[in-house]
Amino acid sequence: YYLTLERSKYRFSIAPNLNKILTDRRANIPPAKVEERVREEVRKAFAAGKVERVFFPGKSGEIPDRAALTFVVLPPEQSAQDRPTTEAAIAAMTREYGSSGRTFKSALIWCLADAPGSLREEAKKVLAWEEIREEEADRFDEAQKRQMTESLKKAERDLREAVWRSYKYVLMLGKDNELKTIDLGLVHSSAAD
């Protein structure tokens, strides 16, 4: 039996409620689709502004060596959770440009995520609500459709905020030629400027 809300009253039903459908859908979302959605949201969050951006570099040659301030956004998998490995990769890409040395090392500002877990969970939730809307919306009553629409909007907002909360570390080259880590604290989208 499933507990459903109709206006201001609750009732039991044998038809699955939206929570059950959401849970089933979330369990069946492929990880590749989740990673793709997370990366898409990260790109959207860093899209505004006049500073040049490089998203998810795999090699140092993918990051330009110019005298222009550049945000280098690392993928969520390279997070602060695995700090020694991530910092070693950042240090190597800061020093090198392909097979030669990098001239403009101080032009790079590295953006690093705290942990990818919350991003993935929020992306799963958004993808599940989108699938429910596309495939099953026609069999819902008006109250369920309204609840589904509100839940999808909330999930999209939560994913956007999860990107802001996750990417809270900035790394740059200090005066001593060593990487300096700055923790921006709790960041949210209203602090975008």
Side-chain angles (χ1 to χ4, degrees):
Y1 293 103
Y2 300 96
L3 184 65
T4 57
L5 174 67
E6 289 182 3
R7 293 191 182 107
S8 62
K9 297 180 181 178
Y10 291 95
R11 71 178 181 89
F12 285 102
S13 168
I14 58 170
N17 60 12
L18 286 175
N19 290 336
K20 169 68 172 146
I21 295 169
L22 174 67
T23 304
D24 292 344
R25 289 295 174 136
R26 281 178 66 175
N28 294 324
I29 304 284
K33 199 171 180 182
V34 172
E35 292 302 321
E36 181 183 322
R37 184 59 180 256
V38 167
R39 287 175 181 238
E40 178 185 321
E41 286 299 319
V42 169
R43 281 188 182 94
K44 281 183 195 174
F46 282 93
K50 295 179 171 98
V51 177
E52 186 175 328
R53 285 159 213 81
V54 176
F55 292 99
F56 320 125
K59 300 174 190 163
S60 62
E62 296 173 13
I63 305 165
D65 190 18
R66 292 195 295 257
L69 196 59
T70 305
F71 284 147
V72 183
V73 182
L74 291 174
E77 307 84 57
Q78 280 184 297
S79 67
Q81 267 185 335
D82 191 19
R83 196 171 209 109
T85 308
T86 303
E87 283 187 6
I90 290 171
M93 287 193 270
T94 301
R95 284 190 315 273
E96 302 163 1
Y97 175 62
S99 58
S100 62
R102 186 176 295 278
T103 306
F104 302 103
K105 298 174 189 157
S106 297
L108 302 179
I109 297 176
W110 298 86
C111 303
L112 179 66
D114 186 24
S118 66
L119 282 171
R120 288 185 184 126
E121 287 305 312
E122 294 299 335
K124 266 186 181 180
K125 194 184 303 180
V126 170
L127 290 168
W129 279 120
E130 287 175 349
E131 279 186 11
I132 291 168
R133 181 186 62 195
E134 291 170 8
E135 297 174 11
E136 299 186 32
D138 53 338
R139 67 184 193 133
F140 296 144
D141 61 20
E142 288 304 313
Q144 287 175 318
K145 285 181 183 178
R146 188 173 51 253
Q147 182 186 356
M148 180 188 57
T149 304
E150 290 171 5
S151 297
L152 177 58
K153 285 180 185 176
K154 182 183 181 306
E156 288 171 341
R157 186 181 64 243
D158 290 347
L159 177 57
R160 192 171 40 253
E161 291 300 321
V163 171
W164 281 92
R165 281 191 312 272
S166 293
Y167 278 87
K168 67 179 201 165
Y169 294 107
V170 174
L171 284 85
M172 61 183 78
L173 209 57
K175 291 182 181 181
D176 58 352
N177 212 21
E178 294 293 322
L179 283 174
K180 177 181 166 184
T181 303
I182 300 169
D183 183 353
L184 299 175
L186 183 61
V187 185
H188 44 82
S189 62
S190 64
D193 294 336

